[in-house]
Amino acid sequence: MTSPVNTSLAYLDGAWKPLTECLIPINTHALQYGTGVFEGIRGYWSGNHVNLLLLRQHFERLARNAAMLLMKSPSVDDMCHLAIDCVARNQHRQNVYLRPVVYKKGTSLGPVLVNVPDGFMCYSQPLGDYLDTGKGLKLCVSSWRRLPDNCIPTRSKATGGYLNSALAKSEAVMNGYDEAIFLNDRGQVCEGSAENIFLVRGGTLITPDNTADILEGITRAAVLRLAKDLGLAAETRPVARTELYIADEIFLVGTGCQVSYVRSVDQRTIGDGNRGPLSARIQQAYEDAVYGRTPAYADWLTTVV
Ligand SMILES: Cc1ncc(COP(=O)(O)O)c(C=O)c1O
């Protein structure tokens, strides 16, 4: 991802300041121990306005995850207003990405979550494609296993847990792949470093279920809804590694990657290596929804005026 523009205005613990002036002490708990939870939210430029995608769903997830990790977030309503304010203050006229974080801002020593004060920050930056949605991704199964739920819950979107993602993504990139697929500690297919995964087999969409140590992705839920509305069969169930190699189609979904089809996994070509018909339908339906072209999904969008 590109770095945020230095002149952009960001929110830190009650004040709006230029991003470069949003400073935290070096002994901040979240920096020392990875004790934060975050969200990634996209806004799409309609030609007139930025429309924030599934804004409330993101902040509801953030509030739930903060509580799980014994942190207190601002209210969902307050976070939604701050996010809208962030886009408005920065006068974005292109697609944007928002990064809100609830974090342990105390400076006490020791990796404990109780009796350490919480903080909240939010910044925005322009963002085009995170992964190339048009070219077909080359994936590998990572040698790194996914964090188990009983270790650092992936569903919590905890900042510290992203070291696991960083190890897998780095290994993939160093070996010439676009992205890594995690298996969980049971050896089942889990997700990408920052994406959920869908396979297509015999006309059915398949994605790992909520107990597979995945992040319960908001795009994944949106894609399941699109599939239902398109009359496509979809299953959430455990997925074995070798199902990847024999799938008719595979695509990744997420706020960052949107809907990106997969060309190969571990050097096995998926289908004929091109975007498959169901991947194409889902990608088109998703794009139409996020750009406000489908009235049925108008409530997914919050317009920043
Ligand atoms: C590990 C992981 N899985 C899946 C996703 C996709 O989730 P969402 O669609 O909510 O952005 C993300 C990105 O946020 C992620 O970091």
Side-chain angles (χ1 to χ4, degrees):
M1 284 194 207
T2 49
S3 303
V5 189
N6 278 345
T7 53
S8 69
L9 283 173
Y11 178 88
L12 177 64
D13 296 328
W16 290 96
K17 288 187 219 159
L19 190 110
T20 47
E21 291 173 28
C22 292
L23 304 176
I24 57 169
I26 58 173
N27 57 350
T28 299
H29 201 277
L31 176 64
Q32 298 294 330
Y33 300 117
T35 46
V37 291
F38 72 99
E39 278 299 321
I41 304 170
R42 266 193 187 266
Y44 289 89
W45 176 244
S46 70
N48 295 307
H49 300 289
V50 170
N51 290 315
L52 293 167
L53 180 62
L54 295 165
L55 182 67
R56 197 165 185 89
Q57 287 81 343
H58 278 282
F59 283 121
E60 285 172 352
R61 182 170 70 180
L62 185 61
R64 277 196 305 271
N65 285 339
M68 186 205 309
L69 297 186
L70 304 172
M71 299 178 204
K72 185 147 176 48
S73 67
S75 73
V76 171
D77 281 341
D78 285 353
M79 291 191 287
C80 287
H81 288 133
L82 281 169
I84 293 166
D85 205 7
C86 189
V87 175
R89 282 172 188 260
N90 285 296
Q91 299 180 345
H92 291 292
R93 295 176 62 81
Q94 69 278 89
N95 289 353
V96 297
Y97 180 82
L98 263 100
R99 171 57 62 83
V101 188
V102 178
Y103 75 109
K104 284 286 173 199
K105 75 169 178 184
T107 53
S108 57
L109 206 58
V112 63
L113 293 166
V114 290
N115 302 325
V116 182
D118 303 307
F120 180 75
M121 63 178 87
C122 184
Y123 66 85
S124 60
Q125 65 178 83
L127 182 68
D129 282 350
Y130 171 71
L131 293 174
D132 190 337
T133 53
K135 93 174 161 47
L137 303 172
K138 276 175 65 182
L139 306 186
C140 60
V141 171
S142 183
S143 71
W144 296 94
R145 287 296 166 107
R146 195 44 155 163
L147 286 162
D149 194 50
N150 264 322
C151 179
I152 299 178
T154 304
R155 98 179 73 246
S156 70
K157 221 167 158 54
T159 55
Y162 276 76
L163 185 53
N164 186 222
S165 287
L167 286 167
K169 176 86 179 187
S170 305
E171 178 190 57
V173 170
M174 287 190 296
N175 288 329
Y177 295 96
D178 298 306
E179 186 51 274
I181 296 301
F182 278 115
L183 304 182
N184 60 25
D185 65 348
R186 282 91 72 203
Q188 298 159 345
V189 173
C190 190
E191 61 180 345
S193 70
E195 308 86 15
N196 292 114
I197 187 167
F198 279 84
L199 287 67
V200 179
R201 296 193 61 193
T204 298
L205 302 188
I206 302 162
T207 192
D209 64 90
N210 285 347
T211 63
D213 297 329
I214 61 168
L215 175 70
E216 295 180 11
I218 286 170
T219 318
R220 173 178 171 273
V223 164
L224 286 169
R225 159 90 191 272
L226 292 174
K228 186 161 178 258
D229 293 353
L230 289 168
L232 303 173
E235 288 176 5
T236 56
R237 63 158 174 82
V239 177
R241 173 183 186 153
T242 52
E243 291 192 83
L244 294 171
Y245 302 149
I246 61 171
D248 304 321
E249 303 177 36
I250 298 178
F251 55 91
L252 299 183
V253 306
T255 298
C257 81
Q258 305 170 96
V259 179
S260 302
Y261 82 96
V262 173
R263 184 152 51 103
S264 66
V265 181
D266 289 344
Q267 324 247 6
R268 277 84 163 174
T269 303
I270 305 305
D272 63 5
N274 295 312
R275 186 188 286 113
L278 296 194
S279 308
R281 283 181 74 188
I282 293 289
Q283 189 172 353
Q284 188 61 54
Y286 185 76
E287 202 182 296
D288 287 343
V290 304
Y291 281 103
R293 297 193 284 255
T294 315
Y297 308 119
D299 64 349
W300 291 10
L301 303 175
T302 302
T303 300
V304 180
V305 286

